[in-house]
Amino acid sequence: MRIGTLLLAAAFLGPGALARAADVPVKLGVLTDLSGPYSALSGEGSVIATRMAVEEFVAAHPGYKVEVVSADHQNKADIASSVSRKWFDQDGVDALVDGANSAVALAVNQIIKERNKVFLASGPATSDLTGKACNANVVHWTYDTYALSQGTGAALTRQGWNKWFFLTADYAFGHAAERDTSAVVEAAGGRVLGRVRAPLNTADFSSYLLQAQASGATVLGLANAGADMINAVKQASEFGLTREGMKLAGMLVFITDVKSLGTSAAQGLVVTEAFYWDLNDRTRAFAKRFAARAGGRMPTMIHAGAYAASLHYLRSVAALGAAKDGAAAVAKMKELPTDDPAFGTGSIRKDGRKMHDLYLFEVKKPSESKGEWDLYKQVATIPAQEAFRPLDKGGCALVQ
């Protein structure tokens, strides 16, 4: 476990102003993958993005003291739970940010509720966080498996790519992604011809790809992420699946994955994202600020989510005048409209679901790309109300 600390305080504006702000110290803990398969798409980038939000907030609210700590959950639920308990019980952490890895997120979810803290879930994908596992202390910000399936699964099936085979990561995210996408495919008239499940950090996908190849499917649904997804795409290309006419559909793909693969290997891959650095002037400005701190790397949607969720949380704490009652802070977040450079304007529903548009992209051919991060061409915009699960369909007790 690695822990880093950033302490930010505004300039002295007079005893009264500083004393009032000092009465509301805030501590954010970025719980993420700093060393494993999801480190590029979350990891240190989520810490950078959270610090950016803190600095922006403190600049607008002089006198507030906000601290950021970080830890590596190593993609293990027991480590994540142990870190969270220590942060909450001994270190005074008020809100947990990121939580990339759905199994980790579900493990800390109950601890968040018990300690009455806040979970700014910018990293995990499982839609259960706003469904059967919802609680009043969680905001699920960036994306979820239901929304991703509505984009990639529905779009391809309607285009005639209607025979699917799933290569699924064998843990909470993969199971949820397969479940949600299968339902969308079948509702659109498609069929699921088979599925295989592979452990996290699988190096050799050959046996799984041979099963997909033999199934007669026209789409290989990749219900995995990070290094697993990258390795699966590379090996699918080596096995000639795409040359034989099979379409690769990523259920959870990040720009860092595509950058790692290169457009030669990834061209034509269909993905759904909640954020892309080159969408508009505001996203480009945010990405430029991030890249200056991240060695030229563009932010992923998880990084954008960590920034935006942290900024809105801090604004809500300022409006509330307190940070120690987590449920009250989340209630204020739901009450206030959201607005930030990464996602624009939006809102947070009763079940904790942050509402914003999603985007369907196709990876460019090498001849179409004009730069190392010019990787996507936009196929469609998916309005928030269509992308995310209807409020009354998730089984969240907060809604009932």
Side-chain angles (χ1 to χ4, degrees):
M1 180 175 68
R2 300 188 304 177
I3 299 182
T5 303
L6 170 70
L7 187 60
L8 296 170
F12 180 74
L13 291 185
L18 186 57
R20 287 193 298 274
D23 288 340
V24 194
V26 188
K27 196 169 187 178
L28 303 177
V30 184
L31 186 61
T32 186
D33 179 357
L34 289 167
S35 59
Y38 304 146
S39 57
L41 56 90
S42 57
E44 187 62 28
S46 291
V47 181
I48 291 170
T50 303
R51 289 171 172 169
M52 288 174 62
V54 169
E55 291 172 359
E56 186 173 331
F57 170 77
V58 171
H61 299 79
Y64 273 82
K65 184 177 72 172
V66 184
E67 187 177 357
V68 178
V69 298
S70 63
D72 188 352
H73 58 48
Q74 301 177 44
N75 291 294
K76 296 179 180 178
D78 58 341
I79 291 176
S81 298
S82 177
V83 170
S84 299
R85 290 190 181 95
K86 181 179 182 297
W87 274 356
F88 298 149
D89 297 344
Q90 301 177 32
D91 299 339
V93 169
D94 299 295
L96 192 154
V97 185
D98 189 349
N101 183 311
S102 293
V104 163
L106 293 171
V108 303
N109 186 47
Q110 187 62 31
I111 300 171
I112 298 282
K113 180 180 179 181
E114 291 170 356
R115 302 311 198 267
N116 193 23
K117 301 295 183 176
V118 174
F119 188 10
L120 305 175
S122 61
T126 176
S127 58
D128 289 344
L129 285 175
T130 54
K132 62 183 181 182
C134 79
N135 68 63
N137 296 69
V138 176
V139 174
H140 199 181
W141 193 276
T142 316
Y143 62 96
D144 60 35
T145 51
Y146 182 96
L148 298 175
S149 68
Q150 288 296 311
T152 307
L156 284 177
T157 304
R158 288 168 186 157
Q159 290 173 15
W161 299 88
N162 55 12
K163 291 186 287 185
W164 286 64
F165 187 96
F166 284 96
L167 175 52
T168 302
D170 194 12
Y171 74 104
F173 152 67
H175 299 172
E178 178 194 300
R179 175 197 67 202
D180 290 345
T181 308
S182 295
V184 168
V185 167
E186 291 169 352
R191 290 186 296 152
V192 177
L193 302 185
R195 55 182 57 82
V196 288
R197 291 181 172 173
L200 184 66
N201 283 329
T202 293
D204 183 3
F205 287 94
S206 57
S207 64
Y208 307 120
L209 294 172
L210 287 171
Q211 292 180 61
Q213 205 169 21
S215 71
T218 55
V219 181
L220 177 59
L222 299 169
N224 52 12
D228 287 340
M229 191 281 300
I230 291 170
N231 287 333
V233 171
K234 286 179 178 177
Q235 291 172 37
S237 178
E238 292 167 0
F239 270 74
L241 267 65
T242 53
R243 289 193 300 274
E244 295 173 4
M246 181 174 279
K247 193 79 166 177
L248 301 186
M251 300 299 101
L252 184 55
V253 178
F254 297 85
I255 191 171
T256 46
D257 301 329
V258 177
K259 177 66 166 56
S260 177
L261 282 163
T263 51
S264 293
Q267 60 182 307
L269 179 67
V270 177
V271 305
T272 300
E273 294 235 35
F275 166 87
Y276 178 48
W277 72 269
D278 202 20
L279 276 174
N280 54 55
D281 289 343
R282 294 186 80 189
T283 58
R284 284 187 284 272
F286 164 71
K288 183 178 180 180
R289 297 199 310 273
F290 179 93
R293 297 162 177 257
R297 291 181 294 128
M298 290 294 111
T300 68
M301 61 176 166
I302 288 182
H303 301 151
Y307 161 81
S310 297
L311 185 60
H312 187 63
Y313 165 72
L314 292 170
R315 288 171 175 169
S316 299
V317 167
L320 188 65
K324 300 308 174 185
D325 185 335
V330 170
K332 181 59 70 173
M333 292 180 71
K334 294 176 181 178
E335 177 186 325
L336 298 176
T338 65
D339 188 11
D340 61 80
F343 298 93
T345 57
S347 61
I348 301 171
R349 298 192 313 198
K350 291 180 181 179
D351 60 354
R353 176 69 259 162
K354 166 64 170 55
M355 301 295 288
H356 47 247
D357 294 346
L358 270 69
Y359 308 92
L360 187 68
F361 297 108
E362 185 175 300
V363 176
K364 289 183 174 182
K365 299 175 182 177
S367 60
E368 296 172 322
S369 177
K370 298 177 181 178
E372 63 172 331
W373 291 99
D374 180 27
L375 302 173
Y376 290 159
K377 52 186 176 183
Q378 187 174 339
V379 176
T381 298
I382 309 163
Q385 297 299 331
E386 295 179 16
F388 292 105
R389 181 174 54 206
L391 183 61
D392 61 346
K393 300 298 184 181
C396 174
L398 300 175
V399 176
Q400 299 169 353

